[in-house]
Amino acid sequence: MIEKTRHIPDGKKERKNQPVSHYLEAEYLYFPTTDLRCPAGESCVIDGQYVKVGELIGTRHGGFFDQPIHSTVSGYVVGFEKKVHSSGQTVDCLIVKNDKKYVLHESCVSRTDEEIAALTKEDYIQIIKDSGLSGLGGSGFPTYVKLETKNKIDVIVANGVECEPHLISDYKLILERAHRIIEGLTYAMRAQGAKRGVVAVKKKYPELYEVLENARHSFMDFDIEIKRVGNHYPQGWEIETIKAATGIEVPVGKMPSEYGVCVFNVATLYGFYRAVKRRMPITERFVTISGNGIKTERNFSVRIGTPVRDLIEMCGGYTENDKNKVVICGGPMMGTNLQNDDLIVTKTVTSLIVLDEEPIKTEPCIHCASCVYSCPVDLQPVQIMNAYKERDKDALAVLNVNKCIECGLCSFTCPSKIHLTETMRQAKRFIRK
């Protein structure tokens, strides 16, 4: 009997028990002036200019928003070079040669509690906008845009579920920065006028619950709950997290703010703390290098702008065999397959998976419906695949292909090894043309 797939191997046990290597002294740091959301951008510095940590060095331009770019080191601007972005695109990057002195920019001065207490919603929006903070759970969506909602927000949900296999960035961040995450949550609650905050973490990680619960006791003036939610995949999907953490059901395609909910990843809330309290942008990220194609799997804390090749070298390089390597930025379910490893650590990069290529033969569909049973948004992937092959836009619209959250479960559960998730992506792009 075909059953719904809810639990998948997460590959985290070994990684979460490994120490974190702090590699903060890359010789050159690279800062993309464009990305997937922002196809245009420019720098505001010149070759040879000395810049400091937290200093504005450029701006990326999206369709309806801008994203400032800040240096994460002090040093000298030495030009531009093309590098690979986490989206798989090759983009122009501003290069800063690290002087390894880490001189803070004059604007990075902490606010007093009195100053923070006097902040208005408009102040919070401007602070977060100026910090360049974006969704650090992977979306990269500008955080200040969420704050601009006109809907009344009753509860802020901090998403610490991190359900994608291999990823432990949020896990490590919670263990080391729980107090700062809760403090960031209180600022988000103030900014939105929310009376309640909920932090969602997996039941199987009692250690996360304990550190967050201890941190919560420092903020007893706020109604904050640490909620243990399911261990299944994709529990970290925003709608699933909201339901498990608050009981509120948000229909697919609707904005959570319409139901009085606003969701932020825990790393984003840590960024909230840094922006509000310390007047600092996010400068570092936890990054994991794993997979059977690398000699030694390791966890790192690195400055944003660090070349991933530096980290691969510190892992001992690639395994030496005659197999090609598959390089994935992100998790194995929703990550991006890269053409090469010339990748730069940006705010949303938390993992690189390197695998020995194992050719998998795709067989014809056996009509088992495992993809249908497992789809969290109740789609029919095989029918969507067939409609896409026929380039039938009307059928794709009727089949609601745009509801697909690209979680990867349809491909994972398929006994015929059909690349359904990639077909779903292509169908979504096709119907938008």
Side-chain angles (χ1 to χ4, degrees):
M1 179 180 176
I2 301 296
E3 295 182 354
K4 181 175 183 177
T5 299
R6 289 173 60 84
H7 298 281
I8 58 179
D10 68 6
K12 298 186 183 188
K13 183 177 180 181
E14 300 80 8
R15 266 162 286 287
K16 70 186 183 68
N17 293 325
Q18 287 177 330
V20 175
S21 300
H22 293 267
Y23 177 62
L24 306 175
E25 300 189 352
E27 195 71 23
Y28 293 94
L29 285 296
Y30 299 81
F31 302 95
T33 53
T34 61
D35 61 23
L36 193 61
R37 290 188 178 276
C38 300
E42 74 278 325
S43 67
C44 59
V45 292
I46 59 175
D47 283 1
Q49 182 174 333
Y50 186 74
V51 297
K52 301 177 182 178
V53 178
E55 182 172 350
L56 182 71
I57 57 176
T59 305
R60 288 185 287 267
H61 303 295
F64 59 93
F65 59 86
D66 292 337
Q67 282 189 330
I69 308 165
H70 299 90
S71 179
T72 60
V73 295
S74 56
Y76 292 91
V77 177
V78 294
F80 285 85
E81 189 174 326
K82 290 189 180 295
K83 293 288 182 180
V84 177
H85 186 265
S86 58
S87 63
Q89 293 178 318
T90 300
V91 298
D92 289 322
C93 294
L94 179 70
I95 310 170
V96 175
K97 189 177 189 303
N98 188 2
D99 70 358
K100 301 181 182 178
K101 295 179 180 178
Y102 309 107
V103 180
L104 278 179
H105 190 258
E106 293 77 13
S107 62
C108 300
V109 179
S110 293
R111 288 184 174 86
T112 66
D113 291 342
E114 292 73 21
E115 288 176 314
I116 294 172
L119 295 175
T120 64
K121 178 175 180 175
E122 290 69 28
D123 292 331
Y124 278 109
I125 291 172
Q126 193 62 49
I127 289 167
I128 298 304
K129 184 176 184 178
D130 291 343
S131 76
L133 186 61
S134 55
L136 300 183
S139 72
F141 189 75
T143 301
Y144 82 88
V145 177
K146 281 189 177 182
L147 299 180
E148 288 180 326
T149 180
K150 302 301 182 184
N151 295 316
K152 183 180 183 300
I153 302 300
D154 302 309
V155 57
I156 303 290
V157 175
N159 189 344
V161 177
E162 198 174 36
C163 63
E164 176 94 41
H166 289 256
L167 305 191
I168 59 159
S169 179
D170 289 349
Y171 178 90
K172 290 293 187 181
L173 181 66
I174 292 171
L175 285 181
E176 297 192 12
R177 305 280 193 273
H179 189 277
R180 301 312 187 196
I181 291 169
I182 298 296
E183 190 167 353
L185 174 58
T186 66
Y187 297 153
M189 291 169 67
R190 291 179 182 181
Q192 297 282 59
K195 302 299 183 184
R196 182 173 167 234
V198 182
V199 186
V201 292
K202 286 183 176 179
K203 292 178 182 177
K204 67 179 180 180
Y205 296 139
E207 62 273 26
L208 298 187
Y209 175 83
E210 289 172 8
V211 296
L212 287 165
E213 186 67 19
N214 288 337
R216 182 184 69 84
H217 287 296
S218 298
F219 302 93
M220 297 304 289
D221 290 341
F222 295 85
D223 181 6
I224 296 174
E225 177 187 6
I226 314 302
K227 183 76 172 182
R228 287 174 279 198
V229 300
N231 300 318
H232 64 275
Y233 181 85
Q235 176 66 86
W237 173 37
E238 184 176 69
I239 289 177
E240 193 98 349
T241 302
I242 292 171
K243 183 178 178 181
T246 68
I248 298 170
E249 295 191 28
V250 179
V252 177
K254 294 291 186 179
M255 297 294 292
S257 61
E258 296 176 41
Y259 294 79
V261 185
C262 192
V263 183
F264 297 105
N265 176 264
V266 289
T268 306
L269 290 173
Y270 175 61
F272 223 108
Y273 156 77
R274 287 175 63 89
V276 175
K277 181 66 177 178
R278 298 181 57 191
R279 288 190 174 94
M280 283 278 290
I282 288 287
T283 57
E284 299 173 19
R285 280 296 263 167
F286 286 106
V287 178
T288 296
I289 310 291
S290 62
N292 62 8
I294 204 82
K295 285 186 177 178
T296 305
E297 299 180 324
R298 294 181 66 177
N299 300 323
F300 296 95
S301 176
V302 304
R303 292 188 183 274
I304 290 168
T306 299
V308 165
R309 283 178 175 171
D310 287 8
L311 307 184
I312 291 174
E313 184 177 341
M314 294 178 69
C315 290
Y318 298 111
T319 51
E320 296 169 359
N321 52 40
D322 58 357
K323 294 183 177 181
N324 294 327
K325 306 301 178 187
V326 177
V327 181
I328 303 168
C329 180
M333 302 295 284
M334 301 180 71
T336 302
N337 195 351
L338 303 179
Q339 297 301 308
N340 63 65
D341 62 4
D342 197 18
L343 176 71
I344 298 305
V345 175
T346 57
K347 294 176 185 178
T348 56
V349 171
T350 58
S351 171
L352 190 78
I353 302 172
V354 183
L355 303 172
D356 288 332
E357 186 177 48
E358 299 289 348
I360 298 174
K361 185 179 179 181
T362 297
E363 302 287 349
C365 175
I366 62 173
H367 305 289
C368 66
S370 61
C371 59
V372 177
Y373 290 128
S374 298
C375 180
V377 291
D378 300 321
L379 296 181
Q380 300 181 56
V382 171
Q383 288 196 32
I384 290 172
M385 178 183 69
N386 292 334
Y388 176 65
K389 286 179 179 178
E390 297 295 327
R391 298 299 190 267
D392 190 337
K393 282 191 175 183
D394 292 336
L396 289 172
V398 171
L399 290 166
N400 289 317
V401 64
N402 281 328
K403 285 176 60 179
C404 173
I405 62 171
E406 301 177 22
C407 67
L409 274 174
C410 53
S411 292
F412 179 82
T413 63
C414 179
S416 297
K417 306 303 179 185
I418 299 172
H419 302 298
L420 290 166
T421 304
E422 181 56 33
T423 302
M424 303 286 272
R425 292 189 182 110
Q426 293 172 357
K428 287 168 69 177
R429 288 194 291 268
F430 171 69
I431 202 172
R432 292 184 193 127
K433 291 180 181 178

